[in-house]
Amino acid sequence: MPEISQLIPQRDPIVEVDELVSASESEAVTRLTVREDNFFAQSGVLHEPGLIEHMAQSAAAFAGNATFLRNEAPHLGFIGEVKRCHISLLPEVGAVLTTTVTLISEIAGVSLVKIATVCDGNPVAECQMKIFLKE
């Protein structure tokens, strides 16, 4: 798998994905270890904005892998909608998050994806995102 910096446009200190674990045409799996110096971590936990950013960057890594395979730079994406968002818990520093992005549909540069994040097999967060990619 390529380095995450080759797949997403975000750069430190706001990179919320450590690696793309696997990817296909319809699904991708990413991983993040929550570190104490994480931009969105306070009081020993990763807060809601960080979880949503992690899920969005996981979707970006999924899309970025497709552009990487075409020898293109990652495209800038914009979240158009977040719905059915449920956060079950705020992961503690040291937690390893595994996130699965599943493509529901894609039309004219707009993707609808389902995203689910777990930690040690326990649900952390889930949502649907509509993402617009800038060509």
Side-chain angles (χ1 to χ4, degrees):
M1 286 286 135
E3 293 291 320
I4 199 65
S5 63
Q6 296 175 292
L7 304 178
I8 63 174
Q10 292 81 4
R11 296 295 176 251
D12 282 331
I14 312 214
V15 174
E16 294 298 318
V17 174
D18 292 334
E19 66 177 316
L20 178 66
V21 177
S22 65
S24 69
E25 289 184 12
S26 61
E27 188 173 273
V29 177
T30 65
R31 190 171 292 135
L32 171 70
T33 299
V34 180
R35 293 178 178 76
E36 193 170 334
D37 64 348
N38 185 296
F39 186 82
F40 297 101
Q42 294 179 342
S43 304
V45 297
L46 182 66
H47 287 270
E48 292 89 342
L51 283 169
I52 292 171
E53 183 62 24
H54 165 68
M55 291 190 290
Q57 288 186 28
S58 294
F62 172 56
N65 187 62
T67 60
F68 178 83
L69 294 174
R70 294 190 307 262
N71 292 319
E72 298 175 11
H75 297 177
L76 189 57
F78 301 93
I79 300 171
E81 180 180 38
V82 177
K83 64 185 198 179
R84 296 186 182 111
C85 186
H86 179 73
I87 296 175
S88 303
L89 63 92
L90 299 179
E92 296 180 358
V93 167
V96 177
L97 307 180
T98 302
T99 298
T100 302
V101 179
T102 305
L103 181 64
I104 297 172
S105 65
E106 183 177 35
I107 299 174
V110 179
S111 297
L112 179 61
V113 293
K114 177 183 174 186
I115 307 170
T117 300
V118 299
C119 179
D120 293 328
N122 297 312
V124 172
E126 63 183 350
C127 72
Q128 282 187 2
M129 282 189 188
K130 190 178 290 182
I131 300 169
F132 299 85
L133 293 179
K134 182 177 180 181
E135 295 297 323

